[in-house]
């Protein structure tokens, strides 16, 4: 499992006009090739009257699945430029359909490559590229007398203090980047002088958006 990778979390759509031709880019996160194919078919039905519905997607931890289609445009002028945007940004599990309504003026091969690439790039940026980071959630349960120094050390090392639960003891729910788990566990043992108060819970991917950590399933 990857520890960090770039992807998108939300669907987006943008439109550009080049010499009266409309290029509508629709971008959607996908987890499987089946989802990507379904998305492409959905857009073809939605824009059944379009001149072309060009698509590209890449899926998998190592971008194992990469597909594209020119959908009737000259070979290499449409689908590949869209795929190149995904590859250039190294955005995983993402599909793009660029719908073209012909405006009456030929763009030439170079113009098509630029138009499809620009449309795909703007759609991708509108969807919001995020870096997903794998976190491990911990529960650290301590006495009230120890809670101040424990909280200080958690925040001092840059970990995410997700929640604090006050009962007869204090429980901190902490998100630690997966590469830092060993150091975190050792730090807690040192701070608590060998007392075992740390429980490892589940792993989750998280992405920072507008200063807020959004968690998704690992």
């Amino acid at each position: 499992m990857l520890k960090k990778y770039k992807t998108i979390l939300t669907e987006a759509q943008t439109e550009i006009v080049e010499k009266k031709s409309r290029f509508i880019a629709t971008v959607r996160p996908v987890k499987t090739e089946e989802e990507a194919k379904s998305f492409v078919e959905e857009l073809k039905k939605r824009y059944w009257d379009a001149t072309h519905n060009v698509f590209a997607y890449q899926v998998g931890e190592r971008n194992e699945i990469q597909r594209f289609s020119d959908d009737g445009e000259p070979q290499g002028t449409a689908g590949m430029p869209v795929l190149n945007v995904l590859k250039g940004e190294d955005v995983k599990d993402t599909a793009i359909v660029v719908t073209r309504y012909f405006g009456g003026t030929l763009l030439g091969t170079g113009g098509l490559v630029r138009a499809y690439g620009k449309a795909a790039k703007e759609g991708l940026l509108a969807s919001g590229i995020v870096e997903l980071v794998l976190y491990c959630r911990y529960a650290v349960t301590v006495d009230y007398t120890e809670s101040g120094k424990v909280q200080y050390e958690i925040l001092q090392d840059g970990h995410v203090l997700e929640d604090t639960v006050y009962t007869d003891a204090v429980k901190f729910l902490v998100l630690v980047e997966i590469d830092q788990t060993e150091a975190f566990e050792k730090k807690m043992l040192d701070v608590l002088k060998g007392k075992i108060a740390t429980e490892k819970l589940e792993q989750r991917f998280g992405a920072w958006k507008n200063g807020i950590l959004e968690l998704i399933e690992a």
Side-chain angles (χ1 to χ4, degrees), residues 53 56 152 171 174:
N53 282 294
Y152 172 81
K171 178 189 287 187
V174 188

Side-chain angles (χ1 to χ4, degrees), residues 186-203:
K186 184 178 184 302
K187 170 63 76 68
M188 289 298 101
L189 279 174
D190 291 344
V191 170
L192 296 168
K193 297 179 171 55
K195 176 183 174 183
I196 298 176
T198 303
E199 178 186 2
K200 182 182 285 188
L201 304 176
E202 75 278 10
Q203 294 181 359

Side-chain angles (χ1 to χ4, degrees), residues 17 21 33-34 92 103 107 130 139 144 179 185 191:
V17 177
S21 281
E33 185 168 21
E34 289 68 31
K92 303 180 186 304
L107 299 182
V130 298
Y144 277 81
D179 284 338
E185 291 173 15
V191 170

Side-chain angles (χ1 to χ4, degrees), residues 55-83:
F55 72 82
Y57 57 82
Q58 58 181 13
V59 179
E61 287 191 358
R62 300 286 183 267
N63 303 326
E64 298 91 339
I65 301 171
Q66 294 180 331
R67 304 282 187 268
F68 68 91
S69 169
D70 293 314
D71 193 36
E73 293 281 31
Q75 185 175 356
T77 64
M80 182 57 77
V82 176
L83 181 61

Side-chain angles (χ1 to χ4, degrees), residues 20-167:
K20 299 183 180 179
S21 281
R22 296 171 59 206
F23 293 85
I24 305 166
T26 309
V27 186
R28 181 181 294 178
V30 292
K31 288 295 185 183
T32 64
E33 185 168 21
E34 289 68 31
E35 283 187 24
K37 288 179 177 179
S38 177
F39 167 61
V40 172
E41 290 306 311
E42 176 189 330
L43 268 292
K44 285 183 176 180
K45 290 178 182 177
R46 183 187 304 177
Y47 297 110
W48 59 270
D49 59 340
T51 315
H52 305 279
N53 282 294
V54 168
F55 72 82
Y57 57 82
Q58 58 181 13
V59 179
E61 287 191 358
R62 300 286 183 267
N63 303 326
E64 298 91 339
I65 301 171
Q66 294 180 331
R67 304 282 187 268
F68 68 91
S69 169
D70 293 314
D71 193 36
E73 293 281 31
Q75 185 175 356
T77 64
M80 182 57 77
V82 176
L83 181 61
N84 283 340
V85 169
L86 291 172
K87 291 167 65 176
E89 295 291 342
D90 193 23
V91 177
K92 303 180 186 304
D93 297 341
T94 302
I96 303 176
V97 175
V98 179
T99 301
R100 181 189 184 191
Y101 285 92
F102 182 56
T105 302
L106 296 175
L107 299 182
T109 55
L112 287 173
V113 169
R114 287 189 294 273
Y116 278 105
K118 179 181 178 182
K121 184 68 174 287
E122 291 197 5
L124 193 60
L125 293 177
S127 68
I129 300 171
V130 298
E131 181 179 53
L132 286 184
V133 178
L134 185 60
Y135 289 89
C136 183
R137 179 183 277 126
Y138 284 90
V140 183
T141 305
V142 296
D143 297 332
Y144 277 81
T145 55
E146 302 167 317
S147 62
K149 64 181 178 182
V150 170
Q151 178 175 319
Y152 172 81
E153 293 296 342
I154 290 170
L155 297 176
Q156 183 74 7
D157 289 341
H159 305 306
V160 180
L161 183 55
E162 184 181 25
D163 197 7
T164 305
V165 181
Y166 298 96
T167 54

